[in-house]
Amino acid sequence: MLAASGLQAEPVQQRPVSMVHLDPKTGQLVRSFALPSRPPASTLFSTNSTSAGIISGPDTILNDLVEKAAAAHNVDPLLIHSVIKVESNYNTFAVSPKGAEGLMQLIPATAKRFGAKNSFNAQENIEAGVKYLKHLQDLYKDDRLALAAYNSGEGAVAKYKAIPPYPETQSYVEKVGRKYGDAKRAAEGKKAKPATIAAVIDPDSAKTEERHPKLQYYTDAQGRLHLRTQ
């Protein structure tokens, strides 16, 4: 449990340690990154809230950060979650072999460009990552090209004027697109549930029109008014 207060938490100061080891399968040297220790939960997130309260764990916090950034920059939160899932699987301290950092795997230059001073601070990382994603959406007017540029860089998309023919990028666009589609279908299913539950509770709810049929009226040859049901 993390208590939220009006004070801003101190940013994470630690940086990953670079290590090189021999891959027994390929015989090649591989560089990896790791943090010497995980800082306290209170340093993972910062807040400008002036009201005290209790936040029920990282999942709730991350979801709130995503929702806030999504609303601020007009990006679908389901797309943001799909990107985070594929990029880091919600690992705040993820570091790629190419040096991309944090939840949305920002290269240091990109993080700086979009205002993140510390990519291992979840709030800063998500805010900068969503700003970058929105920039790419506005630039290409196509989510698939935006995702391709997010993975391979704007230069690669500009060069090919399409999704670059890189297996990694093509796989990335497919993975994020599939997760985004699944998330939207799941969200639509949740919206449809109340009607389904109502039908289970009251099986006759779908037969309202049959129980309360509409009335018709007509006048016969003698001018008398008659009523009847349809």
Side-chain angles (χ1 to χ4, degrees):
M1 301 287 283
L2 177 65
S5 69
L7 298 177
Q8 185 171 7
E10 296 181 0
V12 178
Q13 298 299 328
Q14 290 179 304
R15 284 293 185 271
V17 176
S18 175
M19 298 179 291
V20 178
H21 63 275
L22 183 67
D23 188 329
K25 293 183 179 180
T26 64
Q28 297 179 339
L29 292 176
V30 178
R31 183 181 298 276
S32 62
F33 298 81
L35 284 172
S37 63
R38 186 182 180 88
S42 60
T43 67
L44 302 186
F45 308 98
S46 61
T47 175
N48 293 320
S49 171
T50 57
S51 60
I54 300 299
I55 301 176
S56 59
D59 289 342
T60 299
I61 299 172
L62 290 178
N63 189 64
D64 288 346
L65 293 177
V66 168
E67 292 290 338
K68 182 178 178 180
H73 303 291
N74 193 29
V75 179
D76 189 343
L78 297 179
L79 178 59
I80 300 170
H81 277 292
S82 299
V83 169
I84 293 175
K85 178 67 177 176
V86 173
E87 287 285 358
S88 68
N89 196 27
Y90 293 94
N91 181 357
T92 307
F93 299 103
V95 180
S96 78
K98 296 180 181 179
E101 300 173 339
L103 290 162
M104 297 192 74
Q105 290 290 273
L106 302 176
I107 294 293
T110 302
K112 183 178 180 180
R113 176 184 173 191
F114 289 94
K117 296 180 180 179
N118 181 359
S119 289
F120 299 106
N121 177 288
Q123 185 176 18
E124 292 186 26
N125 187 283
I126 290 174
E127 176 69 15
V130 173
K131 279 184 182 178
Y132 183 38
L133 188 57
K134 178 61 175 178
H135 164 74
L136 296 174
Q137 286 182 316
D138 290 344
L139 182 64
Y140 298 111
K141 312 298 182 185
D142 183 321
D143 281 352
R144 288 175 59 81
L145 290 181
L147 291 172
Y150 193 96
N151 176 261
S152 62
E154 296 167 52
V157 174
K159 176 181 178 180
Y160 293 100
K161 295 180 173 57
I163 297 174
Y166 310 148
E168 177 189 335
T169 300
Q170 292 180 345
S171 174
Y172 175 83
V173 173
E174 190 274 332
K175 286 179 181 177
V176 175
R178 184 172 64 248
K179 289 188 180 299
Y180 184 35
D182 290 344
K184 289 198 292 185
R185 283 188 290 273
E188 291 168 0
K190 288 181 180 179
K191 289 180 181 179
K193 273 187 177 181
T196 305
I197 293 172
V200 172
I201 295 174
D202 181 9
D204 294 329
S205 60
K207 301 178 181 179
T208 302
E209 290 190 0
E210 294 181 14
R211 291 190 293 153
H212 303 284
K214 294 180 180 179
L215 292 175
Q216 269 188 337
Y217 67 90
Y218 67 95
T219 306
D220 63 17
Q222 286 73 40
R224 291 175 296 188
L225 181 66
H226 297 265
L227 297 176
R228 70 181 180 186
T229 57
Q230 289 182 328

